[in-house]
Amino acid sequence: MTNKQAVILKQGNLFEVDSPLHGKVRGERSVMDFPFFALSKVAVLKPLDYKLGNVSIQIRPSATGIATMYDKEIILYIASLMAQEIGRGGEVDQEFTFTAHDFFRITGVARPGKRDYQRFTDALERLQGTQIKTNIQTGSQIDRGWFSWLSEAAANYTRLPNGEEQLRNVKVRLCAWLHRAIQRDGHIYSYHHDYFRLGTIERRLYEIAHCHCDGEEVEMPLDLLSAKVGSTASLAKFKQHLKDVEADDRLPEYRVTLKDVIPAEGRTDSRGRRISKPDTVVLLAPRQKKPATAVLEATA
C-alpha cells in the first residue's frame, strides 16, 4: 500500500464532525460572569480561590498551569456547537468532534501555522488538566467534587505523503457541569466577533457587561469588579488598566467609565481621623440603549 493510499483510507475513517459552526459564538452565563480562567499568558501554577458573595470557586492548575482566557476560546466554541445543535432540535450529549480549521476560522486565525496548532493542543491539555470546584449549581444540581472542563480530549491526525502529521479533528467530552447549564438552564449569550481581538481583562469586562447591562448602565465598586474579573493585581494597577480601557474606548458594544464618589457615610481610619478619599466606581454602559418600551417589557 502506498503512502497516498494510506492517507485516503485514514481520512475515510475520520470521526463524524459537529462542525462547522454557523452563526455567532455563544457562551453560558455563569462561565461569563465569574472568573474561572487565568488572565496571564504566563503559566499560573498556584491554585486560585475566589469568594464572591455566596459564590465560591477553587481552581487547581494542571502540570502546565491553569487554563487561560485564551484557552477558554475552545470552551466557547464547544458551547456554540452545542447551542447550535439544540437550536436544530437534535439530541445533544457531552461528546463533540470538530475540526481545528473551523475553530481557527471562528476565532479569527486566518492562516494558522505550526505555532497556532501547538497552542491549540496545549490549550486542550490545560482544559483537561485544570480542576475546578464551585458551589454554583447548574441544572438544579451542585457538584461537590472537582471537575475538569474537558474530561476527555483526543486529537486525530492524518499522516501526509511527506511523513508529516496533520491535525484533522478533535474529539472532546464536555464536563457535566457546563453541559447541564447549557442544556437545562439555557442562559446563553451571543458574543461580538471582536471579542477575540481583545486582551484578557478587556474580555472579562465585556463578558461582565454583557451579563449585567440589560440595555441600561450598571455601576460596580472597583474592588467588586476586580474580583469578578479575576485580577490578582493591586487595586491601583487594576484602576490604571481600566483608565487605559476607558481612554482607548474599543470595547465592543459597551463603554467603561470610572467615577470617584464621596461616601454618603463618613469613614475614619485606625486613629479616628476622617477619611476624605473618594471611592472609585466603574460604570459599564451599552453603546446603544434599549428603547423605553423595550425596557418596560423586559422588566414587566
Side-chain angles (χ1 to χ4, degrees):
M1 182 182 293
T2 66
N3 284 340
K4 186 175 182 180
Q5 288 173 323
V7 170
I8 292 174
L9 285 175
K10 193 163 186 179
Q11 287 177 335
N13 291 327
L14 293 178
F15 299 116
E16 182 179 351
V17 296
D18 297 295
S19 54
L21 174 64
H22 301 286
K24 292 185 176 182
V25 171
R26 300 173 186 178
E28 193 277 328
R29 182 185 173 97
S30 293
V31 180
M32 294 177 71
D33 196 15
F34 295 103
F36 283 101
F37 296 85
L39 300 177
S40 175
K41 286 185 178 180
V42 179
V44 177
L45 298 172
K46 294 182 179 180
L48 296 177
D49 291 338
Y50 297 105
K51 184 74 174 177
L52 299 166
N54 295 325
V55 172
S56 66
I57 300 171
Q58 296 173 266
I59 308 173
R60 289 178 179 172
S62 68
T64 56
I66 288 175
T68 71
M69 282 296 295
Y70 296 108
D71 301 340
K72 184 179 182 178
E73 293 176 355
I74 296 177
I75 297 300
L76 292 177
Y77 179 82
I78 296 169
S80 303
L81 289 176
M82 184 173 175
Q84 174 176 268
E85 193 59 30
I86 291 174
R88 293 171 176 170
E91 291 292 329
V92 184
D93 59 19
Q94 290 174 242
E95 293 187 351
F96 296 87
T97 304
F98 59 92
T99 64
H101 172 78
D102 194 58
F103 167 78
F104 287 130
R105 175 183 67 85
I106 291 297
T107 55
V109 182
R111 296 180 179 179
K114 187 174 182 179
R115 190 175 181 183
D116 296 303
Y117 280 95
Q118 185 60 54
R119 288 174 176 170
F120 176 76
T121 54
D122 289 346
L124 289 173
E125 182 178 336
R126 282 188 293 270
L127 290 168
Q128 188 176 11
T130 298
Q131 297 282 299
I132 305 103
K133 181 190 284 187
T134 180
N135 64 352
I136 299 175
Q137 70 175 23
T138 61
S140 301
Q141 181 177 329
I142 298 177
D143 290 338
R144 295 296 183 188
W146 296 86
F147 65 87
S148 298
W149 294 112
L150 303 177
S151 58
E152 299 175 20
N156 184 43
Y157 288 82
T158 297
R159 188 174 297 280
L160 301 175
N162 62 5
E164 294 183 359
E165 292 184 345
Q166 183 181 58
L167 178 61
R168 302 300 297 179
N169 55 40
V170 177
K171 185 175 183 179
V172 300
R173 183 174 180 82
L174 187 64
C175 64
W177 182 87
L178 183 53
H179 185 269
R180 287 196 309 268
I182 298 171
Q183 187 173 50
R184 300 181 191 177
D185 300 335
H187 301 309
I188 308 301
Y189 293 72
S190 296
Y191 277 65
H192 193 279
H193 58 82
D194 285 340
Y195 170 85
F196 298 105
R197 300 179 182 179
L198 301 174
T200 56
I201 291 181
E202 287 77 8
R203 292 185 183 200
R204 289 295 298 130
L205 292 172
Y206 171 82
E207 290 178 325
I208 293 167
H210 211 37
C211 284
H212 295 278
C213 294
D214 186 17
E216 295 294 331
E217 183 179 89
V218 172
E219 181 179 294
M220 285 192 188
L222 181 67
D223 56 346
L224 174 60
L225 183 60
S226 176
K228 290 185 75 66
V229 165
S231 174
T232 56
S234 66
L235 280 182
K237 288 185 178 180
F238 181 67
K239 181 177 180 179
Q240 183 56 53
H241 193 105
L242 292 185
K243 287 182 177 180
D244 295 338
V245 172
E246 180 182 13
D248 292 341
D249 193 28
R250 67 186 190 94
L251 207 66
E253 299 185 83
Y254 302 97
R255 286 192 176 91
V256 176
T257 306
L258 277 71
K259 182 174 68 173
D260 289 333
V261 295
I262 303 298
E265 297 181 1
R267 295 176 300 172
T268 58
D269 61 16
S270 58
R271 296 184 178 181
R273 296 175 298 187
R274 182 178 177 82
I275 300 175
S276 58
K277 184 178 179 180
D279 291 330
T280 299
V281 296
V282 184
L283 305 179
L284 304 173
R287 294 184 182 275
Q288 293 183 344
K289 292 188 177 182
K290 290 182 179 179
T293 53
V295 173
L296 290 174
E297 290 172 1
T299 56

